[in-house]
Amino acid sequence: MALHTAGHRRGVTAAPHHAAAEAGRLMLAEGGNALEAMVAMAASIAVVYPHMNGIGGDGFWLVREPSGRVRALMAAGRAGEHARPELYRDYDAIPSRGPLAALTVPGAIAGWMLALEAAKAQGGTLPLDVLLGHAIRQAGEGTPMARSLANLTAAVAGELTLVPGFAQTFLVDGKPPAAGHVLRQGTLAATLEQLAHAGLADFYRGDVAREVAADLDHVGSPVTRADLERTRATLAEPLSVAIEAGTLYNTPPPTQGLASLMILALFDRLGVKEAESFEHVHGLIEAAKRALRVRDRTITDPDRMPQPADRFLADAFLDEEAAAIDRRKAGPLSVSQGQGDTIWMGAADASGLVVSYIQSLYWEFGSGVVLPRTGVLMQNRGTSFSLDRDALNALEPGLLPLHTLNPALAVLRDGRIMAYGTMGGDAQPQIQAALFTRHVLFRQPLEQALDRPRWFVGRTWGSAHGSVMLEGRFDGNLIDRLISAGHDVDVMPTPYAGTMGHAGAVVLHPNGTLEGAHDPRADGGATGI
C-alpha cells in the first residue's frame, strides 16, 4: 500500500497497518460514511496490531461534521470499583503488567457505539456484521505478523511470558515468532462475531460482559461486571485555539489535548519563517517544555481539574508564556517519560465528514493479560494513577486516568480540513507539532512532512535523565546549534525510529478532493476511492 494518496472524490483512509486502511476503504466503497469506515478500521487494527491497541483499551474521536461542527467522542474507561490504594499496599507504585495493572474498564467499544449513532445521523446504513466482518476474518483465519508486532513481541516476551494468557496468544512454543508468522486469534474472532450479531452493548451488558467479568475476577483484576455495566462513552466539546493558519481542535481532559494545542499556539507567536531551521526546532522544543509543565500540574479526571483547561488557551496566558521563551537558549527541562504505544487513524468522505481517531492499550500489549474466554487483551492505562493520595492523579475507584491519547483536527483558513495524529505517549503533542508546522505553516508536501526526521524532548524508558532525542538524519550544523544553545542532545542511530511515532493525516481540500498519508515508520499507508 502506498504511504500517500491524493485526488480521491468519495473517501480516503490512513492507518499504521495496511489491512486496517483497506477495511475502511471497502466500507466507503460499500456506500458507508467516514464514521462507519473508522469503526471497521478500529476493529481491524485491534486484530492486526495488538501490540499497539485492542478492544481491551480506550479510544478518543474528533469528528468534523458536514455542517462544520466539531465534536469529541470520549471513550475512556474508569478505575474499577476494587481499584483502591489498599489493594496495592505491598507496592511502591501500581504494577505496569499483570492483573493488577488491568485496573480500568475498556472504553473503546463504547466509543464505537457512540460513533455508529453519529454515523446513522449522517445517513449511515451499514450493518454491524459488515463493519466487523473483516476483523472477524482476520482474527479467525489469521494475518501475517507485521515487523513492528514481531519486534515488540520479541522485546517484551521475557517480561510477559508468565502474565495470564500472553504466551498462549502471542508466542509459539514459548518463543516469539518472526515477522510473517500467521497470527490466529480464534477466541477474539468468536467475541467479535458475538458482538456483530448481539450488538456492541453485549460487551458491557450481555454475554460477552459476563465472560469478561468472570475472567477478570479469576485473574485478580479490580474491574467488576458492575463496572462494565456502568460504562458509557460521552460527547464533549473539544478544546480549540485559533492561530494564524486556522482553528485547531483537540480532545479535552483527561487527555493531553491541551498540551498539543498549547505547543502550536505558542509556536505561532514566535513568528518563525524557515522550516528545519534552528528557530523551528528550538521553538517547538521550548514550546513543548512549557506546555507539558502545564499538563503535568493540571490534567486529571475532568471532575477533579484544579483549573479549567480553557484558561491555558486564553490569549493573555499564551502571550505571556510565549514571551518567556528564550529564542537562543534552552530553558529548564522537567523529566517525563517519552514512550507509549497507540494507533492513530484518519478517514474522510465526500460529504465533508472528517474523522480523527486514536485507540490504545497504553504500553505495548497493555497489561499483557489476555482473557481466555474472550481473547480480550487488557490495557494498563491505570498505571497513569498514583498511589500517593495527595497526587493530582491519585488512584480512586470510578476516576478517569490521565491519557496521553489526543487526536487532532484543524479547520484551516485556506479551506482545508485536516485530521492528524500519532502514537508516542508524551511525545504525541511534539510529533503532531512537527507534522503540522511542516505541512501547514511551511507548506511541505504531506508525505515529505511525515518522512522528515523527528525529535522529542523527554526521556525514554529506563533513562534517568531527560534530553532532546533526534533521529539520525538531521543536519550536523543544526545539531551543533542545538547543543550550543544548551540542549542536552541524544542522536539515535536509526534513521527512522519507532519511538518517534507512527503519524498520519487525511485532508479534505476546498475543491472536494481527498488526500491521505501515513508514516514510513509504521506498517500501513493510505488509500481511497
Side-chain angles (χ1 to χ4, degrees), residues 119-170:
K120 287 183 173 61
Q122 301 297 329
T125 60
L126 293 182
L128 195 54
D129 61 340
V130 171
L131 295 175
L132 301 188
H134 298 282
I136 292 168
R137 288 189 292 275
Q138 288 161 347
E141 298 171 7
T143 52
M145 290 177 63
R147 57 183 170 85
S148 65
L149 172 55
N151 290 342
L152 276 173
T153 303
V156 304
E159 179 186 6
L160 296 180
T161 295
L162 298 180
V163 173
F166 180 83
Q168 295 89 330
T169 305
F170 297 112

Side-chain angles (χ1 to χ4, degrees), residues 411-433:
V411 178
L412 302 175
R413 296 192 194 280
D414 62 14
R416 287 179 294 165
I417 313 296
M418 178 180 174
Y420 61 104
T422 182
M423 69 87 148
D426 287 330
Q428 282 183 36
Q430 302 176 65
I431 297 165
Q432 286 184 16

Side-chain angles (χ1 to χ4, degrees), residues 252-301:
T255 81
Q256 65 171 337
L258 172 64
S260 293
L261 295 179
M262 279 189 64
I263 292 172
L264 289 172
L266 293 174
F267 183 80
D268 192 55
R269 285 161 165 77
L270 300 182
V272 175
K273 302 299 183 185
E274 184 182 353
E276 315 307 326
S277 62
F278 167 81
E279 292 75 14
H280 179 200
V281 178
H282 171 77
L284 285 176
I285 289 170
E286 294 306 304
K289 290 177 182 178
R290 307 193 80 83
L292 292 174
R293 278 198 290 271
V294 170
R295 180 204 67 180
D296 289 345
R297 69 173 184 258
T298 60
I299 300 299
T300 183
D301 184 302

Side-chain angles (χ1 to χ4, degrees), residues 98 118 138 152 172 177 191 252 260 262 336 339 346-347 349 370 421 449 467 479 491 526:
Q138 288 161 347
L152 276 173
V172 177
T191 296
S260 293
M262 279 189 64
S336 59
Q339 197 169 352
D349 65 35
V370 182
S467 64
I479 295 173
V491 179

Side-chain angles (χ1 to χ4, degrees), residues 1 50 75 104 123 145 152 157 164 179 188 246 279 288 324 342 356 360 403 412 471 491 497 503:
M1 178 175 288
T104 58
M145 290 177 63
L152 276 173
L188 179 59
E279 292 75 14
T342 295
S356 183
S360 177
H403 271 271
L412 302 175
E471 282 184 322
V491 179

Side-chain angles (χ1 to χ4, degrees), residues 241-492:
V241 68
I243 64 171
E244 185 177 351
T247 302
L248 311 179
Y249 296 89
N250 214 300
T251 44
T255 81
Q256 65 171 337
L258 172 64
S260 293
L261 295 179
M262 279 189 64
I263 292 172
L264 289 172
L266 293 174
F267 183 80
D268 192 55
R269 285 161 165 77
L270 300 182
V272 175
K273 302 299 183 185
E274 184 182 353
E276 315 307 326
S277 62
F278 167 81
E279 292 75 14
H280 179 200
V281 178
H282 171 77
L284 285 176
I285 289 170
E286 294 306 304
K289 290 177 182 178
R290 307 193 80 83
L292 292 174
R293 278 198 290 271
V294 170
R295 180 204 67 180
D296 289 345
R297 69 173 184 258
T298 60
I299 300 299
T300 183
D301 184 302
D303 293 335
R304 297 290 186 93
M305 287 280 290
Q307 299 180 71
D310 286 345
R311 174 188 181 277
F312 304 102
L313 297 173
D315 285 339
F317 180 82
L318 292 169
D319 290 345
E320 184 178 347
E321 287 288 296
I325 293 175
D326 191 318
R327 309 294 183 94
R328 296 175 297 277
K329 292 293 183 182
L333 169 62
S334 58
V335 175
S336 59
Q337 289 282 17
Q339 197 169 352
D341 289 318
T342 295
I343 62 91
W344 176 90
M345 302 187 295
D349 65 35
S351 76
L353 193 59
V354 181
V355 181
S356 183
Y357 180 55
I358 197 161
Q359 185 167 274
S360 177
L361 295 166
Y362 195 23
W363 291 19
E364 68 279 354
F365 295 103
S367 68
V369 175
V370 182
L371 304 180
R373 305 184 204 195
T374 58
V376 173
L377 174 59
M378 291 291 292
Q379 64 185 345
N380 67 337
R381 183 62 59 176
T383 59
S384 296
F385 286 116
S386 173
L387 295 179
D388 180 353
R389 294 178 186 273
D390 297 323
L392 181 64
N393 285 286
L395 177 64
E396 185 178 317
L399 290 187
L400 293 169
L402 167 68
H403 271 271
T404 51
L405 309 181
N406 68 112
L409 191 142
V411 178
L412 302 175
R413 296 192 194 280
D414 62 14
R416 287 179 294 165
I417 313 296
M418 178 180 174
Y420 61 104
T422 182
M423 69 87 148
D426 287 330
Q428 282 183 36
Q430 302 176 65
I431 297 165
Q432 286 184 16
L435 170 59
F436 183 89
T437 56
R438 282 166 163 163
H439 180 56
V440 176
L441 303 187
F442 300 127
R443 301 186 181 278
Q444 294 178 6
L446 185 55
E447 65 273 29
Q448 181 178 320
L450 285 163
D451 184 87
R452 289 273 192 180
R454 296 196 189 126
W455 70 91
F456 72 81
V457 58
R459 67 182 172 99
T460 55
W461 300 121
S463 175
H465 74 284
S467 64
V468 176
M469 280 157 280
L470 302 167
E471 282 184 322
R473 293 179 289 135
F474 277 95
D475 179 82
N477 292 327
L478 173 61
I479 295 173
D480 289 342
R481 286 203 63 185
L482 290 170
I483 293 171
S484 297
H487 293 287
D488 185 358
V489 172
D490 284 329
V491 179
M492 296 182 170

